[in-house]
Amino acid sequence: KSKFPKRMQCGPYDSEIRSLPKHMKPQALIRVGDGLEPIPIFTRPVHPDFIRPCEPEHICSLLAKMPPEFLAGLRRICILGGTAKQARATNEQFFRFGCYRFDVAEIHLYAFPRGLLCEQWSLFQNPRIAQKFHQWGAQLVNTKKGCELRMSAESVRCFYLYEVLLHELKYHVDREWTKNQERSEAFAKWLSTEQARRRYPTTGAEK
């Protein structure tokens, strides 16, 4: 059972966002086209119990392929660093990958816990998430204790870019184009095509 009260179960993650400095220097800018403001990408120092799931250049490379109208209005993207409170929450089977803040049109990507780089499949509360990691290159290995999911830096990066980031971006597209079903459908088609192009073929567990 989580140590955090139900109403505060997102506390360790929301508090990291609330504690961000008001003035930060962007590590990269996404150029989205004529007449549109570039989108800054910020990073934070990484806590020892976490890894940075992706770098600003990875995000720039991916979103440069996207039709610019899908990025219109997005204020910024932050790659966070993790905190001691989040590390304790992770040990309690509680974790968030990212979020989209509707009130300010920002995407935040949370740091990935080192302790989850090698995890027993049976310990995943949501097997669908484990399956998605496998689709993005994580290895399934049979051990004496059962099936183990082993994630590399590359598989974590692919998962964050093509699942987490694009999932949060879909919230932004829906927010900006709530009355334009054609735009929303166009983004869904682009998303599906890009994911299918990059996804690893899924295989069974290795011995």
Side-chain angles (χ1 to χ4, degrees):
K1 186 178 178 180
S2 174
K3 295 177 182 177
F4 301 97
K6 218 168 191 181
R7 66 181 179 277
M8 290 295 291
Q9 279 194 348
C10 293
Y13 297 93
D14 293 338
S15 62
E16 184 181 16
I17 294 175
R18 289 195 299 269
S19 66
L20 289 174
K22 291 185 177 180
H23 303 288
M24 296 188 294
K25 182 179 179 181
Q27 301 301 306
L29 294 172
I30 305 172
R31 310 288 179 179
V32 294
D34 296 337
L36 296 175
E37 289 290 327
I39 301 168
I41 302 176
F42 300 92
T43 63
R44 298 301 296 152
V46 182
H47 186 278
D49 290 335
F50 293 82
I51 65 170
R52 182 172 292 154
C54 59
E55 296 292 341
E57 56 265 29
H58 300 138
I59 294 176
C60 288
S61 178
L62 173 60
L63 299 189
K65 308 171 187 175
M66 180 177 290
E69 60 266 25
F70 295 146
L71 298 171
L74 185 62
R75 183 170 170 240
R76 68 177 182 176
I77 297 173
C78 296
I79 309 173
L80 303 171
T83 66
K85 288 184 178 180
Q86 288 175 20
R88 291 196 293 273
T90 300
N91 293 335
E92 293 293 324
Q93 297 287 328
F94 170 62
F95 178 59
R96 289 174 69 178
F97 296 106
C99 73
Y100 174 73
R101 295 185 63 195
F102 280 86
D103 55 335
V104 289
E106 296 178 355
I107 292 175
H108 296 266
L109 302 178
Y110 295 106
F112 187 77
R114 289 184 181 275
L116 294 185
L117 288 171
C118 185
E119 184 69 86
Q120 289 293 318
W121 183 281
S122 60
L123 294 181
F124 274 85
Q125 290 189 320
N126 188 341
R128 186 177 62 87
I129 296 296
Q131 183 65 33
K132 284 186 177 294
F133 271 112
H134 188 208
Q135 290 175 339
W136 291 111
Q139 290 183 314
L140 282 175
V141 180
N142 286 320
T143 67
K144 293 181 179 179
K145 294 183 179 180
C147 193
E148 192 172 79
L149 187 68
R150 297 178 181 175
M151 287 163 272
S152 64
E154 181 183 3
S155 62
V156 170
R157 180 170 64 249
C158 287
F159 176 81
Y160 266 79
L161 290 174
Y162 293 94
E163 293 288 348
V164 183
L165 174 62
L166 295 186
H167 175 80
E168 303 304 338
L169 188 58
K170 185 179 185 302
Y171 287 122
H172 177 71
V173 172
D174 290 343
R175 172 185 182 268
E176 293 293 305
W177 302 99
T178 52
K179 297 182 179 180
N180 193 323
Q181 185 176 355
E182 184 178 345
R183 291 281 189 183
S184 295
E185 290 177 351
F187 176 79
K189 183 178 180 180
W190 181 91
L191 173 61
S192 177
T193 301
E194 190 65 23
Q195 287 180 330
R197 188 176 69 85
R198 287 301 305 263
R199 188 172 284 129
Y200 285 70
T202 302
T203 58
E206 300 174 10
K207 297 180 180 180

